[in-house]
Amino acid sequence: MKIYTKTGDKGSTSLIYGTRVSKKDQRVEAYGTCDEANSMLGLALCHMKNEFFEGKDSFEAFLHKVQTILFHVGAELATPEGKEVKWKLEEEHVKELEEQIDALDGTLTPLTNFILPGGHPSGAAFHMARTIVRRAEREAVGIDEPVNPLVLSYLNRLSDYLFVAGRYINQQMGEGEKNLHG
């Protein structure tokens, strides 16, 4: 099988189950942005020191799970209304993010100001992934057909998680945070 199909050469693509839509369709924008966020998470993972983060129950392992679930979010967004979603999001996915947020946040210095994104390359990539996920959330909200409410909850919680993850990585790597006003 070749990687290219030529079926999108005129600006259309297929949703799951074969429905053809414009590449500017709101669903395509939303799931494409999830893919973009997923790639940024991959970049963040590339910058982490593996000896600190590797292991079955590690921060890294959870991020790989998040990447997989982001594919599930994309599948939900790429499935036309009335069709069965193959990899349906579940409430446990949102709850797991909340548990991880609470666990990481409990290790951090409480925020007293807005902080500027940056720090360690991995931390900066998590902050970038957060903004991409926020865009995916806005695009998912803009879809005219009903969207599984768990998709919106997951994207909302994921952006919170990525903010905390960026702070956590910066702390672990000895990078100080820069406050908005000094």
Side-chain angles (χ1 to χ4, degrees):
M1 180 172 125
K2 292 185 178 190
I3 191 70
Y4 56 90
T5 63
K6 301 182 184 182
T7 58
D9 288 354
K10 294 184 178 158
S12 69
T13 191
S14 290
L15 297 178
I16 294 175
Y17 295 103
T19 303
R20 301 283 309 166
V21 296
S22 166
K23 289 185 178 183
K24 286 298 289 176
D25 184 272
Q26 195 64 37
R27 283 187 176 279
V28 177
E29 293 285 345
Y31 73 69
T33 305
C34 288
D35 188 38
E36 189 179 335
N38 211 338
S39 295
M40 186 57 68
L41 283 176
L43 181 63
L45 284 161
C46 287
H47 287 294
M48 291 184 348
K49 291 180 182 174
N50 287 335
E51 66 274 8
F52 182 81
F53 296 102
E54 63 190 15
K56 179 176 165 274
D57 297 323
S58 73
F59 181 74
E60 182 182 22
F62 182 72
L63 285 164
H64 287 296
K65 184 174 185 179
V66 165
Q67 286 186 293
T68 299
I69 295 169
L70 261 178
F71 271 105
H72 295 193
V73 169
E76 291 246 10
L77 293 169
T79 303
E81 183 179 14
K83 299 288 188 180
E84 180 186 359
V85 175
K86 302 261 189 225
W87 298 305
K88 205 161 185 60
L89 238 56
E90 298 181 16
E91 184 68 39
E92 73 182 56
H93 296 122
V94 176
K95 289 194 181 305
E96 192 172 36
L97 277 175
E98 291 170 352
E99 290 167 4
Q100 292 293 319
I101 291 167
D102 293 342
L104 291 180
D105 199 40
T107 69
L108 299 172
T109 306
L111 283 176
T112 57
N113 285 308
F114 287 105
I115 60 168
L116 297 173
H120 185 271
S122 183
F126 282 118
H127 284 294
M128 186 68 191
R130 171 186 56 82
T131 66
I132 296 169
V133 168
R134 285 281 188 219
R135 180 164 29 98
E137 180 185 12
R138 291 189 305 271
E139 289 169 350
V141 167
I143 296 172
D144 289 334
E145 300 170 359
V147 172
N148 178 354
L150 287 175
V151 166
L152 301 179
S153 294
Y154 189 83
L155 291 172
N156 189 20
R157 216 68 82 250
L158 179 56
S159 63
D160 294 335
Y161 171 78
L162 294 171
F163 175 76
V164 173
R167 294 190 68 217
Y168 174 75
I169 286 297
N170 284 335
Q171 177 180 284
Q172 295 300 314
M173 299 300 183
E175 295 284 338
E177 294 177 330
K178 298 207 180 349
N179 291 328
L180 181 62
H181 297 292

